[in-house]
């Protein structure tokens, strides 16, 4: 069973930065495509960023493109989300997800993922 654990959330002012980390254990990390999603109160879970197994391909939602960057270190079994120029509308619980099936590059729909973390809260104050 794969376990996914996020860390790095917190409270930051508008324009600030945070780096989220996601550690995955219980499987071969390099065989999992990874993704970040977020969910604000009263809203559906939405795609933020995703990365392929090797890290050679990645995608970001239009709302974070140019401000957030996903990366991974397979030697450390960790995926990161660097978040810069944060805005109040980025406030949400951020979830990390792993997918072991298939041979695609990266995935942007929540139900395409097999394993999820518990989430980490990111709050951006205005």
């Amino acid at each position: 069973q794969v376990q996914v654990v996020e860390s790095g959330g917190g409270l930051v002012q508008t324009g600030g930065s945070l780096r989220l980390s996601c550690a995955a254990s219980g499987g071969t990390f390099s065989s999992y495509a990874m993704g970040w999603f977020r969910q604000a109160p009263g809203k559906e879970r939405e795609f933020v960023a995703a990365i392929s197994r090797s890290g050679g391909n990645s995608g970001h939602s239009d709302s974070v493109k140019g401000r957030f960057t996903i990366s991974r270190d397979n030697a450390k079994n960790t995926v990161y989300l660097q978040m810069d120029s944060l805005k109040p509308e980025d406030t949400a619980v951020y979830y990390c997800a792993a997918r072991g099936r298939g041979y695609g590059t990266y995935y942007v729909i929540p139900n395409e993922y097999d394993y999820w973390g518990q989430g980490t809260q990111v709050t951006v104050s205005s």
Side-chain angles (χ1 to χ4, degrees):
Q1 182 74 9
V2 175
Q3 290 188 323
V4 178
V5 179
E6 306 96 336
S7 61
L11 173 64
V12 64
Q13 292 186 332
T14 296
S17 298
L18 282 174
R19 189 176 80 156
L20 304 183
S21 298
C22 170
S25 61
T28 303
F29 183 73
S30 59
S31 69
Y32 291 95
M34 303 295 294
W36 286 98
F37 293 79
R38 66 186 182 186
Q39 188 165 17
K43 296 188 176 181
E44 292 188 353
R45 191 167 297 191
E46 66 169 351
F47 168 72
V48 176
I51 193 165
S52 63
R53 292 165 176 82
S54 68
N57 289 284
S58 63
H60 300 75
S61 68
D62 288 343
S63 62
V64 308
K65 198 170 294 182
R67 300 187 299 121
F68 292 11
T69 303
I70 189 171
S71 63
R72 68 189 294 163
D73 185 337
N74 285 346
K76 295 183 178 180
N77 292 356
T78 302
V79 63
Y80 305 97
L81 185 67
Q82 178 66 42
M83 305 187 296
D84 299 318
S85 303
L86 282 159
K87 305 175 181 179
E89 50 263 46
D90 295 318
T91 295
V93 177
Y94 283 71
Y95 296 91
C96 179
R99 174 185 167 114
R101 298 168 286 129
Y103 300 94
T105 53
Y106 58 86
Y107 305 87
V108 303
I109 299 174
N111 65 11
E112 292 180 307
Y113 286 84
D114 304 308
Y115 306 101
W116 290 83
Q118 293 299 307
T120 184
Q121 177 70 46
V122 171
T123 303
V124 185
S125 63
S126 57

